[in-house]
Amino acid sequence: MQAPELGVYLRELRQRAGITVREASRRSGVSNPYLSQIETGKRHPGTEALNKLAPVYGVTVRELLEMSGHLVET
């Protein structure tokens, strides 16, 4: 998945969770600027950020890793 598409998906997950970027940052430990850059497609998140965001957004780490292209099923 391309960074802009992944960013849109992560923004939708955050909004469905009913939290702001600032709150997602506080809960996950992923910096607010980095999270904003991910959502706008300027940065592609690493596995560490996805591991931190998954429980905050209520999804599995595996789902985020697959969506981001870090985990490819063979």
Side-chain angles (χ1 to χ4, degrees):
M1 178 175 278
Q2 298 293 324
E5 295 167 355
L6 179 61
V8 169
Y9 177 69
L10 291 172
R11 180 182 298 124
E12 288 172 356
L13 287 176
R14 179 181 55 74
Q15 290 173 338
R16 274 190 242 150
I19 57 176
T20 64
V21 173
R22 189 174 302 255
E23 181 64 16
S25 174
R26 187 189 67 74
R27 290 184 189 182
S28 67
V30 176
S31 77
N32 188 338
Y34 183 56
L35 191 50
S36 292
Q37 290 173 349
I38 292 169
E39 287 190 1
T40 58
K42 294 177 183 169
R43 302 277 306 261
H44 191 78
T47 57
E48 183 178 347
L50 295 173
N51 275 295
K52 291 177 177 181
L53 290 170
V56 174
Y57 292 168
V59 296
T60 65
V61 173
R62 182 179 190 86
E63 180 181 343
L64 292 186
L65 292 174
E66 287 174 350
M67 292 294 295
S68 68
H70 288 293
L71 182 63
V72 179
E73 298 267 342
T74 55

